[in-house]
Amino acid sequence: MISNILQATALETEKINVDMHEVSLGDFLSNLKAAYESPINKDFTLEWDYPADLPVVKADSAKLKLIMQNLIDNAIKFTGKGNVTVSARITEGSKQKAESSKQTAGELPTASRLLPTGGKWVEFKVADTGVGISKEHLPIIFERFRQADSSETRLFGGVGMGLYIVKKLTELLRGKVEVKSEPGEGSTFTVRIPWES
C-alpha cells in the first residue's frame, strides 16, 4: 500500500523516467510467473497463456512488471473461485478506437485517443472470473483513491491506487489500457504497448 502511494505520488509529479531497453518477452513472463508460484489459499487457478516464440522488444521492463503485478494482484484479490488467466500476444496495429476512452475517464473517443495505424503491438491480458465491475463504475476505476463502490468490493480493502498506477505507467510507455467487465462474470484488463524491435 505504501509502495503504491509513493509510486502514484511520483507519477503525479512526473518524476519518473522511462528506461527503454531490450526485453525478452518470454523471459519477462517466465520471471513474472515464477513470482506467483507460491500456493494461494483460494479456490481458483492462475493460468498463463502465451506462445513460446515471443520476440525481444524495446520496453521498460520495471514499469511493465509493475503494470502486470498490479493487474494480477487485483484479479487475485477479487476472484474468490474460478480462474485468473494472464496472456500475451503480438498483434497487428490498425486504426481503432481505444475502448478505454469511454471506460477509464468518462470521455468520448477523440482522434487523439485512436491507436496508430500500422505497426505491431504487444498485448497483455489479465482476465478473471471474479466479482466484476458494474457499468456505472467503469469510468472511475482508474482514478486515484477510487474503487467500485459496492458492499462486495469494500470487503476486499485497498486504497484504490493500483489501477491508477497501471493507467499512468501504460501511458508513459505510449500504450493504452482497456477494461471489459460484467458484475458477477469477472473482468478482463488489456494493456497494449507499441512493439519496438
Side-chain angles (χ1 to χ4, degrees):
M1 188 182 300
I2 292 171
S3 175
N4 274 356
I5 291 172
L6 292 173
Q7 185 76 31
T9 301
L11 285 165
E12 195 66 21
T13 58
E14 299 181 351
K15 291 183 178 178
I16 295 214
N17 296 319
V18 177
D19 176 25
M20 301 296 280
H21 52 271
E22 288 192 346
V23 178
S24 164
L25 289 178
D27 291 345
F28 171 80
L29 286 162
S30 293
N31 291 333
L32 189 63
K33 181 179 178 182
Y36 288 92
E37 285 184 347
S38 298
I40 300 169
N41 294 323
K42 283 197 169 191
D43 185 22
F44 78 92
T45 57
L46 181 56
E47 301 171 358
W48 299 81
D49 175 24
Y50 55 91
D53 60 348
L54 284 171
V56 172
V57 299
K58 284 186 180 175
D60 186 324
S61 59
K63 289 175 182 58
L64 193 54
K65 182 180 179 182
L66 280 173
I67 290 168
M68 295 303 294
Q69 284 178 327
N70 273 295
L71 290 178
I72 294 168
D73 291 347
N74 253 20
I76 290 171
K77 180 168 68 172
F78 290 103
T79 304
K81 61 182 180 179
N83 60 72
V84 173
T85 303
V86 181
S87 62
R89 297 284 185 275
I90 300 298
T91 62
E92 293 291 333
S94 62
K95 185 172 278 189
Q96 55 182 317
K97 290 179 182 177
E99 292 294 327
S100 58
S101 61
K102 291 183 288 185
Q103 297 173 339
T104 63
E107 301 171 359
L108 293 175
T110 63
S112 64
R113 296 186 68 86
L114 295 177
L115 299 178
T117 301
K120 292 184 179 181
W121 294 80
V122 183
E123 179 182 276
F124 299 93
K125 287 190 179 185
V126 178
D128 65 64
T129 58
V131 297
I133 306 163
S134 62
K135 185 177 180 180
E136 62 267 24
H137 291 123
L138 286 174
I140 66 165
I141 61 171
F142 290 96
E143 295 176 11
R144 281 190 312 159
F145 303 114
R146 297 295 291 269
Q147 293 177 300
D149 186 22
S150 74
S151 59
E152 293 168 318
T153 54
R154 279 199 298 265
L155 295 173
F156 295 93
V159 294
M161 298 299 282
L163 292 179
Y164 170 80
I165 290 169
V166 166
K167 182 174 185 290
K168 288 296 186 180
L169 291 179
T170 300
E171 289 172 350
L172 275 176
L173 299 180
R174 297 181 297 111
K176 297 289 182 184
V177 58
E178 305 171 359
V179 56
K180 292 183 179 179
S181 187
E182 292 289 340
E185 297 183 12
S187 305
T188 299
F189 286 84
T190 303
V191 170
R192 292 186 183 93
I193 60 171
W195 175 16
E196 296 182 16
S197 57

